Amino acid sequence: MVRPLVWIGARSPGALTLPPADPTPSQLYAPRGVYLDDQTLIVADSGNHRVLIWHRIPDRDGQPADVVLGQPDFYSEGPQAAGRGSRHGMHLPTGVMVIDGRLCVADSWNHRILVWNRVPETSNAPPDRVIGQADLDECEPNRGGGVTGCGFYWPYGIGWVAGRFYVADTGNRRVLGWNSVPEDRQPPDLVLGQNDECSHAENRGEAPSSCSFRWPHAIAGNGATLYVADAGNHRVLGWTPIPARDTPACLALGQRDFQSAWEMPHTPPGPSALRFPYAVACASGRLIVADTANNRVLMWRTLPRAGAFLPADMVIGQPDFAGNGENRWQAVERDTLCWPYGISCHNNRLAIADSGNNRVIIWDISV
């Protein structure tokens, strides 16, 4: 049975009241990104404009973090633009990931990816380098100029799939890919969703299709398939095999075909529909999607490869596939969800950044 194990964040006072969000080593405000492996939990505490690190997977509710990045201490908050008081401050960090021992953070509203050569063990440690800006003093969209392959506009998500590094360059409506973690100004090896490195129109300036995005937000996959959460089109697109160039997707979850982008806010969603899916994860032969605006997480027990509107096998956060209410329209409980933005799956543990409840829940999904 799927069950919640550990609650990170302040406990709810009850009823429909949300937990407090004042920054502390254990309280969170609207976390949007999370990373989990055998030893480490990392949370993009987006509303507090910081990243928290646990160097041991928490085994008790409310366990405080060991390290804070992006703020001078655990009790400070607020956006910090690059070069304006803190070269390594953050402004709405979202995606977080450890790749071959390196910590990568999508500092989305500073339009850059921050890289630490190892996961920091001390708070407020500066990053070793930056991708998407000339240096740590810069923070303008697209480096302050036109769209190229070396700049970003709201890079919300990062991914590492089959030895390739991906960025969901959300504001430019595209996904960029490199054959390794790139150096700054290294041109991408792949541009998905646009005709070239200089284009940035929503859905390529046309109706949705099998090769366009509205808000690409997260990337996951394995050695065979690449998945992209295209939140603005209310779908997840998939490519099998993993594309080496811009090609049409062969899978569309959440929509009946590749040309549809329907949002269904007032009807039971069922096992196939999605509404603003902001995160996707792939682990142990399963696909997991944060169906954010339906206040639930969906799981496919086998990886879907092709087709459209394929039904999920399991739902987390709702009593059944028909439910979509925030906290099931009841009090905040251990197994309810309110706008889950980020997910990370490792073996049989699933970490959910339950943004609307100002918390992260680690679940046992060994079913």
Side-chain angles (χ1 to χ4, degrees), residues 263-269 275 294 324:
E263 179 188 2
M264 295 180 282
H266 305 301
T267 59
R275 185 179 174 220
N294 280 325
N324 66 349

Side-chain angles (χ1 to χ4, degrees), residues 34 218-222 227 229 236 278-290 297-300 303-304 342-346 349-351 365:
V34 63
I219 303 110
N222 64 0
Y227 299 96
V236 170
Y278 277 103
V280 60
C282 180
S284 302
R286 296 169 291 196
L287 182 70
I288 305 170
V289 175
V297 171
L298 298 179
M299 184 188 302
W300 285 256
L303 294 175
I343 55 177
S344 179
C345 187
H346 184 71
R349 288 182 297 185
L350 173 67
I365 59 169

Side-chain angles (χ1 to χ4, degrees), residues 165-190:
F165 182 76
Y166 296 91
V167 173
D169 189 16
T170 308
N172 285 324
R173 326 288 183 167
R174 64 186 184 178
V175 168
L176 302 178
W178 289 263
N179 293 334
S180 62
V181 178
E183 298 295 326
D184 187 48
R185 292 190 181 275
Q186 180 178 335
D189 299 294
L190 171 70

Side-chain angles (χ1 to χ4, degrees), residues 94-108:
T94 47
V96 288
M97 182 167 287
V98 176
I99 301 171
D100 293 339
R102 292 168 289 188
L103 172 62
C104 299
V105 174
D107 186 17
S108 61

Side-chain angles (χ1 to χ4, degrees), residues 4-23:
L5 298 174
V6 180
W7 176 324
I8 302 299
R11 297 304 298 266
S12 171
L16 298 179
T17 306
L18 294 179
D22 295 330

